[in-house]
Amino acid sequence: MTAARRTVLLHVTVSLAALVAVVWWASRQRLPALPDPGHAVGTLAAAVGLYALATLARGERWHRVLGLVGAPSRRADAYSLTAVGYMGNNTLPARAGDLLKSVLTARRTGLSTPEVLGAAVAERVLDATALGGVFLLLGGLVLTDAGLPAVHAVVAVLAGLIALAAAALA
């Protein structure tokens, strides 16, 4: 038997052993209790609707960021490539969906890939800024719940927002 054939046989054996182990483990698990379909449908529909709105907002943001770098982007392309990018982020390692979105956008707009990657970095900075703002606002609510006077919490949140804005503009 050749070395290549032994290697293939080893790969197949390890894969089959892993599959058998997973099936054995899964067969011994308790079935989960599913929620009542009458109540879950409304919540599920609201969650899907909210996710669709968030995806549309992200697509619009990508379209506008591309416009700022001079890319001749169609709105439908920006929306669809945003969905492709988020799909890639969920299935590929190391946020490779952003790279996938950038490469596909470069092909559609005629810009070079580095230019579009720069726009993707700008979009990530916008994400970080928005998340920082949400963090500061929620932190202010937590501070007031913890007993800090509201005036002090507002001052702390405003100072954080000013620092965040200064960092974004720098």
Side-chain angles (χ1 to χ4, degrees):
M1 185 181 289
T2 66
R5 194 171 202 156
R6 278 193 302 261
T7 302
V8 169
L9 184 60
L10 178 64
H11 289 182
V12 168
T13 303
V14 169
S15 294
L16 284 175
L19 182 61
V20 166
V22 168
V23 168
W24 175 82
W25 171 80
S27 67
R28 284 159 176 65
Q29 300 298 311
R30 256 186 13 165
L31 290 176
L34 297 175
D36 178 29
H39 298 295
V41 169
T43 304
L44 180 63
V48 169
L50 184 60
Y51 189 77
L53 285 174
T55 303
L56 289 173
R58 291 170 176 159
E60 182 62 27
R61 179 184 63 198
W62 182 238
H63 176 68
R64 292 189 182 211
V65 166
L66 289 174
L68 291 173
V69 297
S73 170
R74 290 184 21 232
R75 185 169 267 113
D77 286 343
Y79 283 36
S80 62
L81 290 174
T82 297
V84 168
Y86 281 101
M87 176 275 310
N89 283 340
N90 288 326
T91 57
L92 300 171
R95 296 193 60 88
D98 290 333
L99 180 62
L100 176 67
K101 177 175 77 168
S102 296
V103 169
L104 293 174
T105 299
R107 289 184 182 170
R108 296 242 177 138
T109 60
L111 288 179
S112 69
T113 302
E115 287 175 307
V116 178
L117 281 172
V121 169
E123 185 185 28
R124 290 293 138 235
V125 169
L126 289 172
D127 269 347
T129 304
L131 286 173
V134 169
F135 176 75
L136 285 170
L137 290 175
L138 292 177
L141 292 175
V142 168
L143 289 175
T144 57
D145 284 348
L148 187 68
V151 172
H152 294 135
V154 168
V155 168
V157 168
L158 286 176
L161 287 173
I162 289 169
L164 195 62
L169 294 174

